[in-house]
Every structure is written in structure tokens, then in C-alpha cells.
Amino acid sequence: MSNRIELPYTRFLDPEGRLVGELPAWADDFNLLTDLYRRMVLTRLFDQKAVALQRTGRIGTYAPTLGQEAIGVAIGSLLRDEDVLVPYYRDTAVQLMRGVGMEEILLYWGGDERGSDYQAPRAKEDFPICVPIATQSLHACGVATAIKIRGQHRAVVTTCGDGATSKGDFLEALNVAGAWQLPVVFVVNNNQWAISVPRRIQSGAPTLAQKAVGAGFHGEQLDGNDVLAVYDRVRWALDRARQGKGPALLECISYRLGDHTTADDATRYRNADEVKAAWLEEPIKRLQAFLAANRVWDEGREQALVADCQRQVQAAVDRFEAAGIQPVESVLDHVYARWPAALGEQREMLLERVSRREEPSPGATRHPLPPAVEGHRMCSSSSGGDHE
């Protein structure tokens, strides 16, 4: 008995940037296509800087997007202000296009709570980066349920890697999305490696997209290295979700050219020939070749773009480094919407401990504890339960 299900597969550009099929009407807009290219280059240059900052101890562990820029840029181009992004940890490109500042992303990976307090209006309802695997899938269904109950014409996009599709959270999310016909689009970045576990032993399903079929809704595959293919199918899925026609799952076939995170060493489980072959498929050179063949891109434009992107990235790094150190108590400030009394007690203990560690030398003026300590001391001594 075969478990193979025939699903659509979309590709417009081959690895050399040559057309392999008729382009959709929207792809005649070369201003759009060059903007997609610019965004991918900016993402890659920011990514390189973030890795360098981690290597020099200026931020913590970081999840690179090298080779996967087309997926995020296409999603970010298509999300409307009223839509909601529920991301995972490899969504730098989408977040940048939602208006999240590069310095905010650096703050997040530097362990600073301010990195999740997005200032861009269109990102205000987006969820923060999710590091636990696949839990964001169910969060997205919760948001989509609220949208459906309110009768709004909005959509939710949630992303994950291929490894996340083996998690119970992901499968439960597919089930509820199909049962309730929610306005949610699942985008799976199948980059072939779930840390050190290859796709071929991650799941017995011939495709990851067919997991949607079991949940009662549409699933398909596309070339995740072809930004035109990703743009076209995400556009279709979002329009459909906003019209109340239910969920979709898009499996984007890509390749993780770098390490899983900066805490990983992919050379321990991947051979160099595989990675070398994957570099021939990467998305930026592919679109660049297509644009050059259509005489809308050249070396002069490339050099100007790289210089401009490098200026933007460095300005963001300067803002990040000028942000200063976050207050110690901020690690607790966003845990609950309504604080339990016990959390107030923990906050007080933390601040008192910090105060003792910063005890001045004999003869120096002693600074009082922060006002928040006194406020929370009063709250935690009461028997009133929850408080703001």
C-alpha cells in the first residue's frame, strides 16, 4: 500500500535563474522583483553581521538564515498591516519586512527583553520569536480562532522548520485548523536538517505538505530557493485565508547553508560535497541572474546596494550598542499579564540580591533600593492574590 500522495509543486526559476514555466501576471513588475532582491541581500548582510557579533561575544546564540532568505522576504512582502505573524527563530527576513528594527533583533538575541517590544505599528500584534519547537503553531491557531469569531478578513502566518512537523504541537495545530477551517497559513521551511537529523529520517511521509491532507485541508510543495514561487503561492494562500476559505500548508524546499545556530557545528554531521551542491541552488544568485538577464540589474547597482545595506546594518549595530543594559527586573516584567503575588516576591528578592551585590565600599553613600522593590513588598505582603 503506497503512502504517496500527488501534490502540486511550484517553481518558476531554475538554479541558473532561467524560466522553467510561464510567469504569473504579477511577476511582470520588475520594481517588485528588484525590491525582493534588495531585501534578500539586506537580510544576508545583516545575518553575517549577527553571526560576527555572536562570535565576538556581543550577542548570544543566533539562528542564521543563510540560504533561506527567499522564504521570509516573500512572506514579509505579502503580509498586510492587519495580518498577524507568529514566527519561529529563523524569521529574520520576515521580521525586518514587518518593520522590526535590526537593533531590536540584536537585542533579542542578546538576551534583552526590549528586543521583543516591537515599535513598528504593523508588528505590534505580531508574536515574538519562538524558540521552543512548534509551540507557535498552536498559538497561531488561537489567534486565527479569534479572527474567525470576530468575522474579520485577516490572516495569520506561522512558520517552522521541517523538524517541527514531527512535534505533537504542530500536528494538533493542523487538526484544529482543519476542523475549524481557520484563516491560518502554515509555512514549513524544509531546509533538510532538524539540527543534526536529516529530513530523510525525520518523517516517513514522502512530503511534509501531505500532513495537511490528513487534517482536511490543502497542502503543497514549492521551491523555497525561488522567491517568485514562494511569493506566488503565499499570495494565493493568504488571499484564500482572508476570504474565509480555510487554512493551507506550504512546504518550501530549501537548504540550510550554515549551522543550525551559532552553537552548532554542522561539519560534524554534513559532508562538504552536499553543502557545495546546495550553494548552486541558493536564492539570491538565482534571482540576480534572472534580473541581469532582463537588463534590470548590473554590477554597478549591485555594488551600490551592498554599500547601502552595509550602512544600514552598521547604523543598527550602533543603535544596539548604544541601548545600554536593561534593568535586571525586566526578565520578569513580561511573564504574566496579571502578576501572581509570588512573582512579586521573586522580583523583590532579585532586586535585593542585586542591591547587595552592588554594595558600596565603606564610607560611600548607600543608594536606596529601587522604588519597585517597595511597591512589590507592599503587594506581596497582602493576601489579595493577583495584581498588575
Side-chain angles (χ1 to χ4, degrees):
M1 184 175 182
S2 174
N3 63 349
R4 182 164 296 280
I5 298 173
E6 294 300 324
L7 295 176
Y9 176 81
T10 302
R11 170 192 270 187
F12 295 116
L13 300 178
D14 72 8
E16 287 75 41
R18 297 175 301 215
L19 280 175
V20 294
E22 185 178 355
L23 285 175
W26 63 262
D28 289 338
D29 184 353
F30 279 98
N31 288 327
L32 170 62
L33 301 189
T34 54
D35 184 64
L36 293 174
Y37 179 75
R38 291 173 180 276
R39 300 285 190 162
M40 285 198 290
V41 172
L42 177 62
T43 300
R44 182 165 293 185
L45 292 175
F46 171 74
D47 204 58
Q48 291 174 1
K49 176 59 75 172
V51 171
L53 290 172
Q54 190 280 330
R55 299 303 190 207
T56 54
R58 291 149 79 186
I59 63 172
T61 300
Y62 174 75
T65 61
L66 183 63
Q68 299 146 93
E69 299 89 352
I71 300 169
V73 164
I75 295 170
S77 297
L78 290 159
L79 284 169
R80 295 176 182 170
D81 289 358
E82 64 271 19
D83 294 331
V84 180
L85 171 68
V86 184
Y88 82 132
Y89 48 80
R90 213 179 300 281
D91 272 325
T92 299
V94 197
Q95 290 192 299
L96 291 178
M97 297 196 70
R98 293 292 279 168
V100 176
M102 293 182 216
E103 66 274 17
E104 291 176 316
I105 294 173
L106 294 175
L107 283 167
Y108 171 84
W109 292 109
D112 194 312
E113 296 297 324
R114 293 171 293 181
S116 297
D117 183 18
Y118 308 136
Q119 298 305 301
R122 63 183 181 276
K124 280 294 187 182
E125 290 193 320
D126 290 351
F127 276 44
I129 293 169
C130 187
V131 173
I133 306 301
T135 56
Q136 73 277 10
S137 305
L138 282 168
H139 301 162
C141 288
V143 176
T145 300
I147 288 172
K148 183 167 185 176
I149 290 171
R150 294 170 182 171
Q152 298 170 329
H153 298 291
R154 306 167 69 188
V156 182
V157 169
T158 187
T159 54
C160 67
D162 46 293
T165 68
S166 299
K167 296 286 287 184
D169 307 68
F170 178 81
L171 298 171
E172 291 165 16
L174 296 190
N175 187 66
V176 72
W180 295 350
Q181 288 295 289
L182 298 176
V184 58
V185 177
F186 299 89
V187 179
V188 177
N189 177 3
N190 180 1
N191 63 25
Q192 310 306 315
W193 288 93
I195 308 184
S196 58
V197 180
R199 160 65 183 93
R200 66 181 181 275
I201 63 173
Q202 180 66 231
S203 172
T207 73
L208 301 179
Q210 71 191 62
K211 297 189 178 190
V213 177
F217 63 90
H218 178 84
E220 64 179 84
Q221 288 186 310
L222 49 128
D223 187 342
N225 291 317
D226 176 2
V227 71
L228 305 188
V230 184
Y231 187 99
D232 187 70
R233 301 316 297 157
V234 171
R235 182 173 183 260
W236 172 85
L238 280 172
D239 286 347
R240 187 169 173 271
R242 294 184 192 114
Q243 294 167 17
K245 296 181 180 179
L249 190 159
L250 306 178
E251 179 189 354
C252 301
I253 310 299
S254 68
Y255 192 87
R256 197 192 76 215
L257 292 173
D259 297 326
H260 175 70
T261 70
T262 51
D264 174 44
D265 178 5
T267 62
R268 297 175 62 186
Y269 53 82
R270 295 196 308 202
N271 68 67
D273 289 341
E274 176 184 321
V275 179
K276 183 178 179 180
W279 269 104
L280 300 177
E281 301 261 344
E282 69 102 352
I284 291 182
K285 283 292 183 184
R286 186 181 302 202
L287 182 57
Q288 183 192 63
F290 177 72
L291 295 175
N294 284 275
R295 300 183 179 180
V296 295
W297 201 254
D298 55 34
E299 185 60 29
R301 290 184 176 93
E302 181 72 17
Q303 292 179 3
L305 171 62
V306 170
D308 181 57
C309 290
Q310 288 174 335
R311 282 193 295 270
Q312 292 183 56
V313 171
Q314 188 55 52
V317 172
D318 292 343
R319 292 192 296 271
F320 159 66
E321 294 187 325
I325 300 173
Q326 64 180 334
V328 172
E329 65 271 22
S330 65
V331 298
L332 300 174
D333 283 347
H334 308 290
V335 179
Y336 295 97
R338 297 180 62 83
W339 277 21
L343 190 61
E345 294 168 0
Q346 291 177 43
R347 190 175 191 272
E348 177 182 343
M349 290 169 60
L350 173 64
L351 289 172
E352 288 178 344
R353 214 173 259 188
V354 170
S355 179
R356 288 199 302 272
R357 196 173 284 178
E358 297 174 351
E359 189 75 28
S361 59
T365 302
R366 175 169 179 152
H367 296 286
L369 294 177
V373 172
E374 296 304 322
H376 285 285
R377 177 175 291 144
M378 292 169 61
C379 291
S380 61
S381 63
S382 70
S383 58
D386 292 351
H387 59 277
E388 293 295 342

